[in-house]
Amino acid sequence: MNLFDLFVIAVGLSMDAFAVSVCKGLAVPKVGKRHVMAVGMYFGGFQALMPLIGYLLGKQFESMITSIDHWIAFALLAIIGGNMAREALSGGDDDEEPDGSFGFKTMLPLAVATSIDALAVGVTFAFLNVSIIPAVLLIGATTFALSAGGLEVGNVFGLRYKSKAELVGGIILICLGGKILVEHLFFGG
């Protein structure tokens, strides 16, 4: 597998994290370096870690992982998206700190949900004898950059339409989880 192929895989894997980062940017009045680092480190870190774990697990657990990854991603995204939509519809908590949603309890499930497919990619890397260290570094760096960019994109639109944007962000997360589930159940994705 050449560098271009790995880059295309990295971009593909990072699209879920990019979409969630856009949603996160919608809810923040002003994106700071702390926000960029949190989003980049969680999403980039987990996108790099999951293929490494998948690679190490290899053939042993392939059928177990691919048979449930879509359910895990769907459940996590649906719960998080539902909470976002519910908060937007109820008016939310105006006293809440803007960076509060970048805490461990929020970011960890998002990072896991957006990177669960990368676990299966890591298993595939084991079958293809891919050099895993350069691959995971490229995937992590690409996801870091796209997530940081997504946070900025979301922030530009969120300043004008905050409550509607939070509702749309929640719906996007639910739809993203649904897309993952449908692709796996009906199209073998």
Side-chain angles (χ1 to χ4, degrees), residues 75-127:
L76 291 172
L77 291 172
I79 290 167
I80 294 162
N83 285 335
M84 280 180 68
R86 182 182 44 80
E87 286 180 24
L89 292 172
S90 69
D93 184 5
D94 292 336
D95 296 333
E96 185 179 326
E97 288 291 313
D99 62 350
S101 63
F102 287 80
F104 180 78
K105 287 182 179 179
T106 300
M107 294 302 296
L108 181 65
L110 287 173
V112 171
T114 58
S115 64
I116 198 82
D117 285 343
L119 193 64
V121 169
V123 172
T124 304
F125 284 171
F127 298 145

Side-chain angles (χ1 to χ4, degrees), residues 46-76:
F46 270 84
Q47 284 288 10
L49 179 63
M50 292 298 222
L52 179 60
I53 292 170
Y55 182 85
L56 295 173
L57 292 174
K59 292 183 181 182
Q60 281 181 321
F61 299 105
E62 179 189 14
S63 63
M64 287 175 35
I65 293 166
T66 57
S67 67
I68 61 168
D69 67 348
H70 51 286
W71 288 107
I72 295 168
F74 171 72
L76 291 172

Side-chain angles (χ1 to χ4, degrees), residues 134-152:
V136 297
L137 291 175
L138 181 61
I139 290 167
T142 301
T143 303
F144 185 103
L146 288 173
S147 297
L151 190 64
E152 296 287 346

Side-chain angles (χ1 to χ4, degrees), residues 1-9 138:
M1 188 171 289
N2 62 38
L3 186 60
F4 179 75
D5 292 339
L6 286 175
F7 180 71
V8 170
I9 289 170
L138 181 61

